Amino acid sequence: MSEVELTTEGPVWTVTINRPERRNAVDPATALQLNAAFDAFEADETAAVAILTGANGTFCSGFDLTVAASGAGERYDPAGEGPMGPTRRLLAKPVIAAIEGHAVAGGLELALWCDMRVAAENSTFGVFCRRWGVPLIDGGTVRLPRIVGQGRALDMILTGRAVGAAEALSWGLADRVVAEGSALVEAQALARSIAAFPQICLRADRASAFGQWDSDLAEALKAEGRGGVEPLRREARSGAARFTGGAGRGGQAAPD
């Protein structure tokens, strides 16, 4: 049985961590399989949006502490890949986390790596590795403050407490809260709606949103302008023509 399952439905790919006996904890082999799955997603020209989820009602409980305790098979390079998989990469296409149950420790870091988080009402977020002296080394100390703010991030990082779905939504840690058992279905519907938009423009805007963290305001605005050249040339004129022809009226969000 593979630790990572990959399914596709048109432009939407679903990547599932499948280690239910370990509550979908990630070991080195699983991390390599996650990297391979997202390499394939990135390389496929027909793929537009990916979903990351976990099997059997748990998103991911973090790095497999049985490996951390024994050191068996553990290979950590601070300048290399993250122990959880693709967490030190910025893909060119969006990824949505579909979260049921626990997204904690390294599982929280995987969720933070995703562009958006669709969380079931029973979901729990937390830096549970705090209690075991295991550091956040898959982006948690970087992405969490950027998403929820420094104070709330430190609340989670210093205390290791559990944060439920409602609180996560109020913080912006979760972007959607849905009924228990429906996170994957709702995330797939969201992914299909995102995949329906003109993708050159969508990816340029997304790249600017990520890239602006590395620049001061003046340079970020210039980079945004440079990134808009290709979509203006390749998509904007035809999109404007569709609008003037009557498409998108009445608040319709997705293109015809």
Side-chain angles (χ1 to χ4, degrees), residues 8 13 27 41 43 55 97 113 157 206-207 227 232 236 240 252:
T8 64
W13 289 35
D27 65 358
F41 166 69
W113 173 72
I157 291 168
R206 176 182 177 273
L232 279 172
Q252 182 178 335

Side-chain angles (χ1 to χ4, degrees), residues 187-200:
Q188 288 172 331
L190 177 60
R192 287 192 296 270
S193 71
I194 292 171
F197 289 116
Q199 291 297 297
I200 295 172

Side-chain angles (χ1 to χ4, degrees), residues 13 27 38 69-72 85 100-101 132 137 153 195 206 235 242 249:
W13 289 35
D27 65 358
F38 284 104
S70 67
E100 301 276 351
W132 312 119
I137 50 176
R206 176 182 177 273
E235 290 178 341
R242 290 200 309 276
R249 302 299 169 83

Side-chain angles (χ1 to χ4, degrees), residues 146-173:
R146 292 185 179 192
I147 291 169
V148 304
Q150 183 83 348
R152 286 167 170 165
L154 288 174
D155 183 347
M156 294 182 71
I157 291 168
L158 298 180
T159 69
R161 72 178 180 89
V163 173
E167 187 173 17
L169 181 65
S170 72
W171 286 9
L173 177 55

Side-chain angles (χ1 to χ4, degrees), residues 17-84:
I17 303 170
N18 188 30
R19 300 188 78 216
E21 75 285 357
R22 300 295 304 163
R23 300 190 71 192
N24 297 327
V26 170
D27 65 358
T30 307
L32 290 174
Q33 290 180 42
L34 284 170
N35 287 339
F38 284 104
D39 282 343
F41 166 69
E42 189 84 328
D44 193 303
E45 293 183 359
T46 68
V49 184
I51 294 161
L52 177 60
T53 193
N56 286 35
T58 296
F59 180 73
C60 176
S61 60
F63 190 75
D64 191 334
L65 293 184
T66 63
V67 174
S70 67
E74 186 176 5
R75 301 179 300 277
Y76 177 54
D77 177 2
E81 298 278 14
M84 296 295 296

